[in-house]
Amino acid sequence: HTPAVTKWNKRNLSWRVRTFPKESHLGHDTVRALMYYALKVWSDITPLNFHEVAGNNADIQIDFSKTDHNDGYPFDGPGGMVAHAFSPGEHHAAGDTHFDDDESWTFRSSDAHGMDLFAVAVHEFGHAIGLTHVSAIESIMRPYYQGPVGDPLKYDLPYEDKVRIWQLYGVRESVSLTAKPEISKTNDQPVLLDLPENRSTNPLRRDAPNRCNTHFDAVAQIRGEAFFFKGKYFWRLTRNKHLVSLQPAQIHRFWRGLPLNLDSVDAVYERIHDHKIVFFKGDKYWVFKDNNVEEGYPRLISDFGLPLGGIDAAFSWALDDKTYFFKDHLYWCYNEYERRMEPGYPLETTLWQGIPNRLDDATRWSDGATYFFKGKEYWKVMDSNLEAEPGYPQSIARDWLVCSDMQADAPAPAESTRTRQHAKHDESHSKIEVCSCTS
Amino acid sequence: APADDDDASSGADWLTRFGYLLPPDPNTGQLQTQEELAKAIMTMQQFGGLEATGILDEATLKLMKTPRCSLPDLLQSEARTLR
């Protein structure tokens, strides 16, 4: 019997971990990383692209739920039914994937202890993109839990599963159809898992700015996280607004493909319709797929219908899913889906009451507000209106970058004191390692 | 060894949940026949890689207790065809 085939008509699919396991020893970033790699197993061989997003509109919403969670598939405590996912389609739950929060979810554990989250996630995402259960012992789509499948970075789908998914979506260009890789059945423990990015181990450079006493060139929400750009550096905050590291990272070491002589950026935003990231500097812009620049860039900002001369700020407004560009006392509204500037623009920025001219940048955030940044201060505007909330501006350093009022208020150090501070900084670094503790 | 009555009852629930057995008709209250039950067990055993005996033996019960995905193995239409 041939079951009804359901598949996604689009090839770019967004995902989000909406709720995390509540009593698991797995950190949020580890869970996200395991989901990323479990999806990558499928996108490595098919022309599907998965992008992590922040909002409520993700195609694949991932939840850790207990007992009856109102979807017709109640969980039953430890053991028994451990997870499920909804097949592609038009229904609101299509693609959504649920894990039983009563299971002891593990990573790098032996067979006997707990439920390997990566192995189960690969199976469930198979459902989320249209596969049904099969009886073949070696298939990841066999309904029974068969223990860990090894290192997520090295996992290779069984050939039968590849063929089934190729029948739905075709083959990714880079994949050889004839290659039948041998399945490694070793008991190797997974290697260190990290989020898919470079994390610089270089010491802080002497030209690195002081996050507590600076204005920022650009601020953007990317994949639900906040990025503060200054000069050749950036700081990153998790979606819970926790600073990943006190040390900034170097832009060029993370965002691969920007010119090496680029000493700063003007504005950055994540595009709504395809989740690509757009960087602006002067008259030029670059489009990134994840953290790699696309071919054919830079291009001129006149592509957007913007006048040459650069922009101050760019952000996608959650209210209308349109992109807003700011320059001096003017702003424009761009329709990403139709790739054209909305008629009637530019308008005066005075329509955004309480927001200053000549912004540094602006960004949406997951709390239903847009934030505008200028100098050392920021303004909050709820998505339902065009007016800054009462009580703003507030301090960027204090509220976003983990600085005390005293640090943030301190004047910029003179050259001599700056040198002394560096010496002190270096001395302290010999004793204290500043770490990124996200997982 | 064949299962006792409790195992048979929970086995029928399991087979229904995962698509091997159609749920009893709520209008007529009709129960599955022994023959239907045995056929469903055989299909489940084949799908699970066990010897297809049609008997709810220990190996079958063990497989039923193995942690698994909540989704059915067969669609309702497939179970109906079996019936």
Side-chain angles (χ1 to χ4, degrees), chain A residues 224-259:
Chain A
E225 300 185 337
F227 288 70
F228 283 75
F229 296 88
K230 175 66 178 180
K232 295 178 176 177
Y233 296 88
F234 71 92
W235 286 265
R236 179 174 176 177
L237 281 72
T238 66
R239 54 188 58 209
N240 297 324
K241 225 171 151 189
H242 294 137
L243 191 59
V244 168
S245 170
L246 300 178
Q247 289 192 21
Q250 294 173 52
I251 291 176
H252 294 99
R253 292 178 65 86
F254 186 88
W255 301 99
R256 299 189 204 104
L258 287 172

Side-chain angles (χ1 to χ4, degrees), chain A residues 13 16 163 171 195 218 222 334 365 396 401 406 416 423 438:
Chain A
L13 296 167
R16 175 201 183 200
V163 170
V171 185
L195 287 170
I222 300 169
Y334 184 75
W365 190 243
I396 300 171
L401 292 154
M406 210 189 293
S416 56
T438 58

Side-chain angles (χ1 to χ4, degrees), chain A residues 19-45:
Chain A
T19 53
F20 288 87
K22 290 178 183 61
E23 290 165 22
S24 172
H25 67 276
L26 298 180
H28 288 195
D29 281 354
T30 303
V31 171
R32 285 174 53 219
L34 291 172
M35 298 299 141
Y36 170 90
Y37 284 108
L39 287 163
K40 188 171 180 291
V41 161
W42 298 105
S43 62
D44 273 350
I45 61 162

